[in-house]
């Protein structure tokens, strides 16, 4: 089972920041938080991941709380093309590899409206 | 970098027929994963390979399903005696295990419809 809880759906106005929350209260010390998104009828697309520090790349920012029990994915200026299902995934990583598969929940359906 | 490719993109078959899907990973990636996704659900893990070796199989991978990666490059997923419940999107992903993050990159998927 997925180790994360996300809202089923969210709306965001075009041009505004989209803040997608994720709860992972049972996360362990060597588990990372990954975010993927899936635009309709396409394969999932990797967005960002982090362990405990905040992370930023060209797509998004990831804010992880100090206790690591929750995180927020931020799309700073949402566009209509950001409409997708966003998945928050907790994954074990250790030196030399990972646990293998990703465990997806149902994600958050983000609708960006004009 | 051409990304992960999958073929065919769509497949319609009749119940009881066999189908085979192909996945070509990103060229330097040594890990390859198969997932299945039904409507309204997130992808579910089926199996994964590191090079030629199949390292893990989900209980979802019944004996009608078989996956191969004979030369450690492309992979095939075969479903024998298809059932209507096999209708789903079949997704392939690849990663580079020596990259500490081992990030998985997905292909566009093959949508299977069993009539």
């Amino acid at each position: 089972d997925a180790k994360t809880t996300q809202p089923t759906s969210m709306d965001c106005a075009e041009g505004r920041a989209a803040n997608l929350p994720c709860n992972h209260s049972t996360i362990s010390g060597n588990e990372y938080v990954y975010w993927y998104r899936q635009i309709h009828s396409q394969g999932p697309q990797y967005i960002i991941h982090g362990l405990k520090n905040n992370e930023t790349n060209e797509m998004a920012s990831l804010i992880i709380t100090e206790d690591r029990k929750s995180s927020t994915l931020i799309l700073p200026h949402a566009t209509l093309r950001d409409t997708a299902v966003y998945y928050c995934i907790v994954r074990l990583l250790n030196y030399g590899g990972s646990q293998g598969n990703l465990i997806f929940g149902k994600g958050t359906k983000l609708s960006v409206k004009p | 970098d051409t990304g992960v490719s999958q073929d065919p993109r769509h497949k319609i078959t009749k119940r009881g027929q066999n189908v085979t899907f192909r996945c070509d990973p990103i060229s330097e990636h040594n890990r390859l994963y198969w997932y299945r996704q039904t409507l309204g659900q997130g992808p579910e893990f089926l199996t994964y390979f590191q090079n030629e070796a199949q390292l893990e199989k989900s209980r979802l991978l019944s004996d009608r399903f078989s996956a191969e990666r004979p030369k450690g490059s492309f992979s095939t997923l075969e479903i024998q005696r298809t059932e209507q419940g096999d209708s789903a999107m079949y997704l392939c992903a690849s990663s580079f295990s020596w990259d500490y993050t081992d990030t998985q990159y997905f292909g566009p998927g093959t949508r299977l419809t069993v009539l």
Side-chain angles (χ1 to χ4, degrees), chain A residues 32 34 36 38 41-44 46 49 87 91 93-102 104-106, chain B residues 9 31 33 35 37 40-43 45 48 56 89 91 97 100-108 111:
Chain A
Y32 283 64
Y34 274 73
Y36 281 77
Q38 189 171 25
S41 294
Q42 298 182 22
Y46 166 76
H49 74 280
Y87 296 101
R91 185 184 189 206
L93 275 185
N94 48 45
Y95 183 76
S98 69
Q99 68 181 51
N101 57 296
L102 298 170
F104 289 81
K106 293 188 176 182
Chain B
R9 294 292 308 278
R31 284 185 171 178
Y33 306 78
Y35 291 80
Q37 186 174 26
Q41 304 296 316
F45 169 75
Y48 95 94
E56 189 174 347
M89 174 80 85
L91 293 159
S97 66
Y100 180 74
T101 64
D102 194 31
T103 300
Q104 294 180 28
Y105 296 91
F106 284 80
R111 182 167 295 283

Side-chain angles (χ1 to χ4, degrees), chain B residues 36-105:
Chain B
R36 181 176 71 181
Q37 186 174 26
T38 54
L39 200 61
Q41 304 296 316
E44 296 175 290
F45 169 75
L46 291 177
T47 188
Y48 95 94
F49 294 83
Q50 180 157 313
N51 302 313
E52 304 88 356
Q54 189 172 15
L55 295 188
E56 189 174 347
K57 292 194 287 187
S58 161
R59 60 180 170 75
L60 293 176
L61 207 69
S62 76
D63 56 6
R64 296 186 298 106
F65 288 68
S66 62
E68 294 183 343
R69 195 182 183 200
K71 298 183 180 179
S73 57
F74 74 91
S75 175
T76 58
L77 177 69
E78 181 183 17
I79 309 174
Q80 295 183 325
R81 304 181 305 280
T82 53
E83 302 173 355
Q84 288 185 325
D86 297 331
S87 294
M89 174 80 85
Y90 290 84
L91 293 159
C92 175
S94 70
S95 70
F96 186 57
S97 66
W98 296 312
D99 171 4
Y100 180 74
T101 64
D102 194 31
T103 300
Q104 294 180 28
Y105 296 91

Side-chain angles (χ1 to χ4, degrees), chain A residues 6-19:
Chain A
Q6 299 177 251
T8 302
S9 63
M10 294 181 64
D11 290 341
C12 178
E14 188 178 20
R16 303 297 294 270
N19 296 280

Side-chain angles (χ1 to χ4, degrees), chain A residues 18-90:
Chain A
N19 296 280
L20 293 97
C22 180
N23 183 290
H24 32 79
S25 57
T26 61
I27 194 169
S28 64
N30 53 356
E31 286 181 317
Y32 283 64
V33 179
Y34 274 73
W35 284 83
Y36 281 77
R37 73 179 183 183
Q38 189 171 25
I39 296 169
H40 182 63
S41 294
Q42 298 182 22
Q45 178 189 23
Y46 166 76
I47 301 174
I48 199 168
H49 74 280
L51 180 62
K52 55 184 177 181
N53 297 321
N54 298 337
E55 302 288 344
T56 295
N57 63 19
E58 64 279 4
M59 290 184 67
S61 294
L62 174 60
I63 309 298
I64 302 174
T65 58
E66 192 170 343
D67 63 8
R68 303 210 320 123
K69 293 184 176 183
S70 66
S71 60
T72 301
L73 179 75
I74 301 173
L75 308 178
H77 305 286
T79 70
L80 299 179
R81 288 180 294 180
D82 292 321
T83 293
V85 177
Y86 287 76
Y87 296 101
C88 171
I89 299 166
V90 164

